[in-house]
Structures are given as structure tokens and as C-alpha cells.
Amino acid sequence: MTSQSDELLPWQWPEEVWRGKVEQVRAGRNLKPARWKNGARCAVALSFDVDHETNELRDGGKSVGRLSWGQYGNRVGVPRILDLLKRQDIPASFFVPAVTALLYPEEQRRIIGAGHEIGLHGWIHEVNTAVPPENERELHLRSADTLEKVTGVRPVGMRTPSWDFSDVTLAIERELGLLYDSSLFADDDPYEIVEKGEPTGIVELPVEWIRDDAPYLSMNRFQALRPYTPPEAVFDIFRREFEGAYAEGGLFLLTMHPHVITYRSRFWILEELVRLAKAKGDCWFATHAEIAAYVKDEAGI
Ligand SMILES: [Zn+2]
């Protein structure tokens, strides 16, 4: 079927082909609980994708300038983030490519030591759909072993690099026995991932480019990529996403990067958001792993 469907153009596909593609990985039951932990109205999941130099290495590592930009994430970004989390006494999740963990093992141990979570984020921030399936499997398995070796803690969740999800990614996550994924888009609130009609027991904590600092604030001198949204507007979008989640009693999940959000002109966005959520008095700040475990438990999965 695959080879035949590859030869056909999409408008020529028989129903089994287009239906099969859609049903490969689906959102199943909604896992938004009636109440969050300790009766909280809203769950706040802050995540930081600790790409550092792997963004440039993934593309060939040709630019020394861009590599140094990655190092900013380690020298300035992560310390600034950890300082905020400590001051506010809140946990967060850090998704770390294995190569980042090998470049900065002390940083990873500091993150774990401060009570935060570290999750999988590929080997060298490779694009899963561009890697042959057998290599993708080996890279994720090696990454899990590497993070465990560096931090002493086995990761229970994965955020695929660039949220790129191949035909075999879910099977690899199941083989790894992961509790959750946080790379897909089918809801605002947690759901159970279904593979070809079969519930997998894996929780999806959905992401969105809207709730990501990178699309608004990234820059590439030699491409058309520019920061096109002022920090005030980024804050306003994030704030409305949070207020919506709070109104609905849902999940507010934010993706950020140590080399993007932490600049002096931007870091207030996060500070202000945390203050706003704390002022509500009934928001549950938790790691992705804690949230996934809670919703799974509440649903009796
Ligand atoms: Zn990343």
C-alpha cells in the first residue's frame, strides 16, 4: 500500500490511504480533569527546550557566531531561568538534546538538583522525519540512556525536536515506556494518544507555536527570519492563552528557549506571567511529568 500510495498523487488516493494516514496517530479521550491537584483551577506547565548549540550543529555547525549564540543559553539563559524558578518556588520541565547534556553535564545536574524535570529532546536536535526509522529509534534510545547517565534520572517524557513527529516516533515512545509526549497539537488540554485506533496510555500535553517564544522572537541574519512581534505583544498573546486556560479550568503550557526568552528586554514576559498566575491563588505549577501522571491517575488509565 505504501509504495502504491507513494506513486499516486493525493487526489488519486483510495480512501484507505488518506484515512490510514490520518488515523496513524490521533487524539483519543480528553484527559482534562474536573479539578487539578489540591483543587486547583488551572495547571501551569512551564517548559524550556535547552537546545543551546544543537540548533546550529543540527544544520551542520558551520557558523561560529550561531554556536556562540547557543552558548548564551548555557551562560546566561539557564542561570537566569533557574534563578526565577527558585525565587518563585515553582518547578518546570527542561527538554534537553543528548548532545547538550554531554556538552553541559553540570547544567543538567543543576537542573535536576533544583527539583525540575528533564525530558527527551532528540540526540542533536535532528529532524525525525529526515532520519531513517532505524536510526531514529537508535538515537532516541541512546538519548534516554545518555540523559540518565548524566543526571541519574531516567526521562519519562519526550518533546520531539522542532515538534517533528515521524511515522515511527510513537512506536519508539511506546518502546521506551514513556509516560507522556509533548509535541502534538490536537487540543488545548491533555489527551490520550491513540495509535491506529488503539489507546496507547501515553498522555499528550499539547504544544502550539502560539505558546512558543521562538516563532515570535527568533532571528537569522542570512534568512528572512526576524523577530516580528514586540515583547509587549508576545506577553499579551501568552497572557490571553493563560486567561483562557484559567477560565476553562484547563492547562496552560508554555514552551520557551534559554537563548530566546532570557534577554534583558524579554525576560519580564515570563516574570509577569508567573506573577499573574500566582495572583489567581489557585493555579497548580507543576512539571510535565507531574501533570501527565495526575491526569492519567484521575482518568484511571
Ligand atoms: Zn528544540
Side-chain angles (χ1 to χ4, degrees):
M1 191 177 85
T2 309
S3 59
Q4 187 202 0
S5 69
D6 285 349
E7 289 159 19
L8 296 173
L9 294 166
W11 57 267
Q12 296 171 311
W13 288 342
E15 178 171 346
E16 63 192 34
V17 174
W18 48 255
R19 197 173 289 282
K21 284 181 183 291
V22 168
E23 286 178 356
Q24 253 185 132
V25 178
R26 285 304 251 179
R29 79 196 262 196
N30 188 322
L31 297 179
K32 185 174 92 172
R35 279 279 157 184
W36 296 92
K37 194 169 181 182
N38 301 324
R41 180 180 175 86
C42 176
V44 177
L46 302 177
S47 52
F48 302 93
D49 294 359
V50 191
D51 301 336
H52 293 350
E53 289 90 338
T54 64
N55 282 161
E56 176 59 21
L57 289 172
R58 183 262 314 270
D59 291 333
K62 298 186 187 87
S63 166
V64 170
R66 290 183 68 81
L67 288 169
S68 77
W69 192 21
Q71 195 179 5
Y72 180 94
N74 164 260
R75 289 170 68 89
V76 181
V78 169
R80 210 164 261 176
I81 291 162
L82 288 177
D83 176 61
L84 166 69
L85 298 174
K86 190 176 177 187
R87 273 188 284 114
Q88 295 289 349
D89 192 24
I90 51 175
S93 297
F94 293 74
F95 295 96
V96 183
V99 166
T100 295
L102 292 170
L103 283 167
Y104 305 107
E106 284 310 316
E107 175 186 274
Q108 308 319 312
R109 288 194 273 271
R110 198 178 154 211
I111 290 169
I112 288 287
H116 306 298
E117 177 198 4
I118 286 183
L120 291 158
H121 198 47
W123 175 257
I124 197 164
H125 215 281
E126 64 280 6
V127 176
N128 286 325
T129 50
V131 175
E134 63 277 14
N135 296 92
E136 183 187 343
R137 177 181 175 277
E138 195 274 325
L139 287 170
H140 287 312
L141 265 53
R142 182 148 46 107
S143 298
D145 290 345
T146 302
L147 292 188
E148 184 178 12
K149 205 174 291 176
V150 169
T151 66
V153 182
R154 184 88 178 163
V156 299
M158 184 189 292
R159 168 163 296 154
T160 59
S162 307
W163 298 335
D164 184 59
F165 211 93
S166 83
D167 288 352
V168 299
T169 304
L170 181 56
I172 299 165
E173 292 185 335
R174 296 182 81 176
E175 183 182 347
L176 281 165
L178 296 186
L179 168 66
Y180 75 91
D181 175 82
S182 184
S183 324
L184 298 172
F185 301 79
D187 208 314
D188 293 315
D189 294 311
Y191 60 83
E192 182 176 13
I193 302 178
V194 169
E195 183 173 26
K196 297 187 181 93
E198 181 202 353
T200 61
I202 296 183
V203 176
E204 177 61 37
L205 301 176
V207 292
E208 232 304 326
W209 296 108
I210 296 169
R211 294 186 309 273
D212 182 341
D213 58 0
Y216 304 116
L217 302 171
S218 292
M219 166 81 193
N220 189 324
R221 176 68 182 82
F222 302 107
Q223 294 172 7
L225 184 66
R226 296 283 182 276
Y228 62 86
T229 316
E232 290 78 6
V234 175
F235 172 70
D236 191 55
I237 295 165
F238 289 172
R239 180 181 64 80
R240 286 167 194 269
E241 285 286 322
F242 165 70
E243 292 286 5
Y246 185 80
E248 293 178 4
L251 167 68
F252 174 65
L253 186 152
L254 191 59
T255 297
M256 293 160 283
H257 299 77
H259 68 290
V260 177
I261 193 77
T262 60
Y263 290 88
R264 290 163 176 157
S265 57
R266 297 173 178 171
F267 201 49
W268 66 269
I269 297 171
L270 179 56
E271 302 250 16
E272 200 64 32
L273 276 170
V274 170
R275 260 200 295 276
L276 194 68
K278 278 200 151 181
K280 299 281 188 192
D282 53 358
C283 287
W284 178 41
F285 287 83
T287 65
H288 288 41
E290 288 169 328
I291 288 171
Y294 180 81
V295 300
K296 209 174 159 177
D297 201 42
E298 287 290 295
I301 298 172

